[in-house]
Amino acid sequence: MTEQIDTIKLAHGGGGSLMQELIQKEIIPVLGGTGLNGLADSARLDVGAGALAFTTDSFVVKPVIFPGGDIGRLAVAGTVNDLAARGAKPLALSLAMIIEEGLPMATFRQILASVASTAREAGVEIVTGDTKVVEKGEAEGVFLTTSGIGQMRAGLDFGPERIEPGDVVIVNGTLGDHGIAVMSVREGLRFVSPVKSDVAPLAGMVDAVLDACGDAVKCMTDPTRGGVASNLNEMAQKVGYVLDEQTIPVRPEVRGACEMLGLDVLTVANEGKMLMVVAPEAVDKAIEALKGHPLGRNAVVLGVADGQAKRVRIKTSIGGERIIDTPYGEELPRIC
Amino acid sequence: MTEQIDTIKLAHGGGGSLMQELIQKEIIPVLGGTGLNGLADSARLDVGAGALAFTTDSFVVKPVIFPGGDIGRLAVAGTVNDLAARGAKPLALSLAMIIEEGLPMATFRQILASVASTAREAGVEIVTGDTKVVEKGEAEGVFLTTSGIGQMRAGLDFGPERIEPGDVVIVNGTLGDHGIAVMSVREGLRFVSPVKSDVAPLAGMVDAVLDACGDAVKCMTDPTRGGVASNLNEMAQKVGYVLDEQTIPVRPEVRGACEMLGLDVLTVANEGKMLMVVAPEAVDKAIEALKGHPLGRNAVVLGVADGQAKRVRIKTSIGGERIIDTPYGEELPRIC
């Protein structure tokens, strides 16, 4: 093969020599540094006895490259964050790609490089993968599916059933950045300072909080699709939550874009945020641990759990109150 | 929600209440029996110390329902077989779905039911999942990605580096059935007795052979995309292989279809076949173990390893010999 190939062909997904060449020349050199060793259909992991967390997510974001990130960073961060929310240290990730024929090789390379750099940032290896190619028009550039295995911390258990009235919801920064960053490209919105996605792997930051607070952390969840509104409602089984509109952390540009698009920022996706519900006595320690990590500098209290089970309420800036329901669907489709 | 919904909507993938309803009403009742418990983004697995195998595959077969199976059965069997080829007992599977808006709910239900029944047949649980929906025209019905974790048998190791001249390649039945079954729908081929896909989970059958033969089994591989030609060439590092055209197991209808379509059956995908390379003294025991399993009734010797490294040769019925190369790409795209 001396032919110069500048786009992905159907045959790249065909299980033959062109696919092996793609894997050997394009994929392994980039992901190899993270742990991917060869063409084997499965990877071997040596683990100690104990509990593992196992998670999977597909990513179909449109466009595949957006301000502040791309689908590669999104896929790795999304899976790392699902593990982190479970209190699990990421051990290994898999990467399955469904590529649309005609995808420029330059885009493919950029996404792979982003997978590799995000995996390194998160301290996790891509150990196995798969590549399929579909005809032009039958995917949107590329879809990625990452699965992850993590080692759960011994002695810690998280879940909404542990949350009690008086517990405090903390978030590590501003809301809505990812959804608005993606939407701004699709809608052609212009900002004086462009909104960038917050997409980031949060395992290290979560570790810092767990080291500081241990089991005073009751529950964690990353507010992606459906936003904070969806996740708070999911955690509102035994308790409810009260938020104060004036202290919700939102960038002015994001607030403006939400007003223009008619969106509630609480329903907009985040990809670098973790909601952590902690016992009241641990709030200061948790915030301090967060602020000591680059991804938690803007950590704040978002709200407080109360006894009104299954209700998420927000005190508005004009002194009223409204209920935040689980959104019906996504107000911004194809955001992740 | 009393509305009757008969197709998948974009909002079904939106992270809101419609998605939760889809998961609670359609997905958990079907997959719940296999281990999926709820809405959590990750599953907990309790494992003993040791080696795990981890694998992932995306499935983009077109059409999604074909003679002898569908994409749901294909996805579960494909991942189970990758684990089985590693000598690993499947412990848990994940299922990520990328669904095209407008997919009939009846098709969705049929595929899910097939996932569940194939998982039960393989003795493995679907423990976690994800659902995304993309706009009409931006996927082809549904794409599935399954990842799997398996427990590796202690003391057994498989790999092409263990294969020596004189070792024997065994296959558990006829070749090319899956590829031709899928292609027959796409090309409108008619057969007197229709060709059905061989798609099946092979973990139990492989177990039977390993119980009988132990480490006399040197290497296993499932010849999917690229067919036997691709897999034998991958295993031809230290050795080569010689096949006899007259003893290659092929159904007459498949042979006829291959001739009509100009295909070499050795490059056509299988989804219920395992190539097992065994030491010569274990061949009879291996064949006996295979024939004792419903999926191995037609097991035969496919070929023999020899010292001509990196060459896969076939003795033709007219007394000649030809080289079987790794195919360049897939001759039948979108077959899995």
Side-chain angles (χ1 to χ4, degrees):
Chain A
M1 285 286 311
T2 52
E3 189 191 347
Q4 186 66 30
I5 293 185
D6 57 4
T7 62
I8 296 284
K9 316 284 182 204
L10 261 185
H12 275 120
S17 59
L18 193 63
M19 187 172 100
Q20 287 176 15
E21 191 180 287
L22 184 78
I23 295 172
Q24 295 289 11
K25 291 201 183 158
E26 300 285 344
I27 299 178
I28 290 179
V30 180
L31 300 185
T34 78
L36 189 73
N37 290 315
L39 289 164
D41 278 331
S42 63
R44 177 191 167 115
L45 301 178
D46 291 291
V47 298
L52 299 179
F54 182 32
T55 185
T56 193
D57 267 307
S58 288
F59 295 86
V60 298
V61 65
K62 185 166 86 171
V64 294
I65 296 169
F66 48 79
D70 59 44
I71 194 169
R73 181 168 177 81
L74 191 63
V76 173
T79 291
V80 164
N81 293 348
D82 278 347
L83 294 174
R86 194 74 183 239
K89 179 182 162 55
L91 293 178
L93 259 53
S94 65
L95 174 71
M97 303 185 271
I98 299 173
I99 309 171
E100 185 185 20
E101 181 188 18
L103 182 77
M105 201 58 91
T107 307
F108 179 72
R109 289 183 185 129
Q110 178 175 348
I111 290 168
L112 268 188
S114 181
V115 165
S117 68
T118 311
R120 272 192 292 269
E121 182 181 338
V124 68
E125 298 188 333
I126 312 291
V127 297
T128 188
D130 183 50
T131 307
K132 293 287 189 316
V133 182
V134 298
E135 291 90 336
K136 207 167 176 67
E138 297 198 339
E140 178 73 22
V142 60
F143 299 148
L144 299 183
T145 302
T146 37
S147 300
I149 297 177
Q151 185 87 48
M152 289 173 80
R153 280 192 180 224
L156 287 188
D157 194 28
F158 306 101
E161 65 287 349
R162 285 193 56 211
I163 304 170
E164 291 164 89
D167 287 345
V168 175
V169 185
I170 296 172
V171 66
N172 58 306
T174 54
L175 299 183
D177 298 358
H178 175 72
I180 295 304
V182 174
M183 210 56 193
S184 68
V185 183
R186 298 224 294 260
E187 299 286 317
L189 300 184
R190 309 257 169 178
F191 300 100
V192 177
S193 48
V195 176
K196 283 190 187 167
S197 169
D198 58 346
V199 58
L202 300 172
M205 184 194 79
V206 166
D207 259 356
V209 177
L210 295 181
D211 285 345
C213 303
D215 73 353
V217 180
K218 309 284 195 80
C219 191
M220 293 184 286
T221 176
D222 56 328
T224 58
R225 280 182 294 179
V228 165
S230 189
N231 288 45
L232 283 180
N233 274 286
E234 273 181 36
M235 289 194 299
Q237 298 170 8
K238 278 176 46 187
V239 298
Y241 298 93
V242 188
L243 280 62
D244 182 341
E245 190 167 49
Q246 299 197 42
T247 59
I248 292 174
V250 186
R251 289 179 203 282
E253 313 86 273
V254 170
R255 191 182 302 279
C258 283
E259 275 166 22
M260 194 160 27
L261 298 167
L263 296 172
D264 181 346
V265 71
L266 294 177
T267 66
V268 177
N270 312 277
E271 294 289 346
K273 293 298 167 330
M274 190 67 73
L275 302 182
M276 312 183 90
V277 188
V278 303
E281 65 275 15
V283 171
D284 291 347
K285 260 194 294 188
I287 299 257
E288 191 191 329
L290 285 167
K291 285 185 184 283
H293 192 280
L295 297 169
R297 292 260 156 79
N298 300 313
V300 292
V301 167
L302 183 66
V304 177
D306 69 8
Q308 296 196 33
K310 297 183 197 300
R311 286 164 72 91
V312 180
R313 295 174 297 145
I314 186 166
K315 290 188 197 154
T316 63
S317 36
I318 54 166
E321 194 178 278
R322 63 187 169 90
I323 300 287
I324 307 294
D325 274 327
T326 301
Y328 175 71
E330 191 172 34
E331 286 165 332
L332 308 175
R334 303 288 292 276
I335 220 74
C336 64
Chain B
M1 285 287 313
T2 52
E3 188 192 346
Q4 187 65 31
I5 294 185
D6 58 5
T7 61
I8 296 284
K9 315 284 183 203
L10 262 186
H12 275 121
S17 58
L18 192 64
M19 187 173 101
Q20 287 177 15
E21 191 179 289
L22 184 78
I23 294 172
Q24 294 289 9
K25 291 198 182 161
E26 300 284 345
I27 299 178
I28 290 179
V30 179
L31 300 185
T34 76
L36 189 73
N37 291 314
L39 289 165
D41 279 330
S42 63
R44 178 192 167 113
L45 301 178
D46 291 291
V47 297
L52 299 179
F54 181 32
T55 185
T56 193
D57 267 307
S58 288
F59 295 87
V60 299
V61 65
K62 183 165 87 168
V64 294
I65 296 170
F66 48 79
D70 59 43
I71 194 170
R73 182 168 176 80
L74 190 62
V76 173
T79 292
V80 164
N81 293 350
D82 278 347
L83 293 174
R86 195 74 185 236
K89 179 182 159 54
L91 294 178
L93 259 53
S94 64
L95 175 71
M97 303 184 271
I98 299 173
I99 309 171
E100 185 185 20
E101 182 187 19
L103 183 76
M105 201 58 92
T107 308
F108 179 71
R109 288 184 186 126
Q110 177 175 348
I111 290 167
L112 267 188
S114 181
V115 165
S117 69
T118 311
R120 272 191 293 269
E121 183 181 337
V124 67
E125 299 187 332
I126 311 290
V127 298
T128 189
D130 183 51
T131 307
K132 293 287 190 314
V133 182
V134 299
E135 291 89 337
K136 209 170 174 63
E138 298 199 340
E140 178 73 22
V142 58
F143 298 148
L144 299 183
T145 302
T146 37
S147 301
I149 298 176
Q151 185 87 48
M152 288 173 81
R153 280 191 180 224
L156 286 189
D157 193 29
F158 306 102
E161 66 287 350
R162 283 195 57 211
I163 303 170
E164 291 164 88
D167 288 344
V168 175
V169 185
I170 297 171
V171 67
N172 59 305
T174 54
L175 300 183
D177 298 358
H178 175 73
I180 295 303
V182 173
M183 209 57 192
S184 68
V185 183
R186 297 223 295 258
E187 299 287 316
L189 300 185
R190 309 256 169 182
F191 301 99
V192 177
S193 49
V195 175
K196 284 189 186 167
S197 169
D198 58 345
V199 57
L202 300 172
M205 185 194 79
V206 166
D207 260 356
V209 178
L210 295 181
D211 285 345
C213 303
D215 73 353
V217 179
K218 308 283 194 80
C219 190
M220 293 184 285
T221 175
D222 56 328
T224 58
R225 281 182 293 180
V228 165
S230 189
N231 289 44
L232 284 181
N233 274 286
E234 273 181 38
M235 289 194 299
Q237 298 168 7
K238 275 178 44 187
V239 297
Y241 298 93
V242 187
L243 280 61
D244 182 342
E245 189 166 48
Q246 298 196 44
T247 60
I248 292 176
V250 187
R251 288 180 203 284
E253 314 87 271
V254 170
R255 191 182 301 279
C258 283
E259 275 166 20
M260 195 161 25
L261 297 167
L263 296 171
D264 181 345
V265 71
L266 294 177
T267 66
V268 177
N270 312 276
E271 293 290 346
K273 293 300 169 322
M274 190 67 73
L275 302 181
M276 311 181 92
V277 187
V278 303
E281 65 275 13
V283 171
D284 291 347
K285 262 194 295 188
I287 298 255
E288 190 190 329
L290 285 168
K291 285 187 184 280
H293 192 279
L295 296 169
R297 292 261 157 78
N298 300 314
V300 292
V301 168
L302 183 66
V304 177
D306 69 9
Q308 296 198 33
K310 297 184 197 298
R311 286 163 73 92
V312 180
R313 295 172 298 143
I314 186 166
K315 290 187 197 153
T316 64
S317 36
I318 54 167
E321 195 179 275
R322 62 187 169 90
I323 299 288
I324 307 295
D325 274 328
T326 300
Y328 176 70
E330 192 172 33
E331 285 164 331
L332 308 173
R334 303 287 293 276
I335 219 74
C336 64

